[in-house]
Amino acid sequence: MALLSVITAPDARLKAKSLPVDGVDGEIRALMDNLLETMYAAPGVGLAAPQVGVQKRVIVIDVAEKDETGEPFRLANPEILWASEETILCEEGCLSVPEFFAEVSRAERIRLRYRDYDNKDCGLETEGRLAACIQHEIDHLDGVLFIDYLSVLKRRIILRKLIKARKLQAQKIPA
Ligand code: NI
């Protein structure tokens, strides 16, 4: 396994639509494992392939709290089949938008289908934090970031701060 470097906004690669995978083979399994390792190291609760520069519809998630046993999800071609009209507000963050958090409204309950680690077609109905996290990660596959749900002004402020932080970081690297 290997740690991958996570792309931060603003970056055109985070705005692109990712393509479905033909199936979950050894290459996709390795991608899933590396995404999961990178996510745990960050640490984060979810990571999508386009965040590491791979335009494929693959996401990993583990929303377990610190004192809970982790339950990692590795999903290929996740597709939401049904979403409840009831919504929940969750505070979200994103490894591609470091150090910013904001409340986003998501469907409270969703039903989805996906291909699992063994290339099996699976279904899942879930709610709450896990459902919100899955919606956040699927958004990444369609080039959508959680800050896209905020006001234009708020988004501009965040992106400006991210650009500034990136410039400072670049200066720290010795020539
Ligand atoms: Ni994210």
Side-chain angles (χ1 to χ4, degrees):
M1 293 210 281
L3 285 182
L4 308 167
S5 67
V6 177
I7 297 166
T8 56
D11 190 302
R13 290 169 291 178
L14 294 172
K15 305 306 292 171
K17 207 171 155 72
S18 293
L19 297 170
V21 300
D22 291 332
V24 179
D25 56 11
E27 188 193 327
I28 299 298
R29 270 192 283 277
L31 172 64
M32 288 169 158
D33 290 338
N34 290 336
L35 282 170
L36 207 56
E37 194 187 358
T38 304
M39 183 196 85
Y40 284 134
V45 295
L47 191 61
Q51 291 181 273
V52 299
V54 179
Q55 307 295 336
K56 289 181 175 159
R57 301 188 79 81
V58 173
I59 61 174
V60 297
I61 290 168
D62 189 342
V63 295
E65 304 281 351
K66 261 186 197 149
D67 49 350
E68 296 172 344
T69 322
E71 194 194 348
F73 285 91
R74 301 170 179 89
L75 317 181
N77 301 345
E79 195 185 332
I80 293 174
L81 303 174
W82 172 84
S84 68
E85 278 173 31
E86 298 79 43
T87 56
I88 44 164
L89 269 184
C90 282
E91 184 165 79
E92 297 191 11
C94 180
L95 296 179
S96 294
V97 189
E99 316 214 358
F100 288 94
F101 300 88
E103 280 195 329
V104 176
S105 172
R106 303 277 186 188
E108 185 176 20
R109 221 178 155 78
I110 55 168
R111 192 155 56 228
L112 70 151
R113 74 163 169 226
Y114 61 95
R115 233 19 125 71
D116 75 358
Y117 196 69
D118 300 312
N119 198 35
K120 271 196 307 226
D121 270 313
C122 296
L124 176 70
E125 185 163 338
T126 188
E127 61 183 1
R129 215 163 109 79
L130 178 57
C133 188
I134 290 171
Q135 291 168 77
H136 174 119
E137 299 311 327
I138 291 178
D139 270 354
H140 276 299
L141 306 181
D142 296 316
V144 175
L145 299 175
F146 81 98
I147 54 171
D148 293 331
Y149 296 106
L150 309 180
S151 70
V152 176
L153 182 65
K154 246 186 196 168
R155 186 163 60 245
R156 275 204 200 128
I157 291 169
I158 291 172
L159 290 174
R160 215 177 293 146
K161 284 181 178 166
L162 287 172
I163 292 168
K164 206 172 159 192
R166 194 183 292 170
K167 279 186 188 151
L168 284 174
Q169 194 64 35
Q171 283 167 4
K172 276 188 208 154
I173 298 166

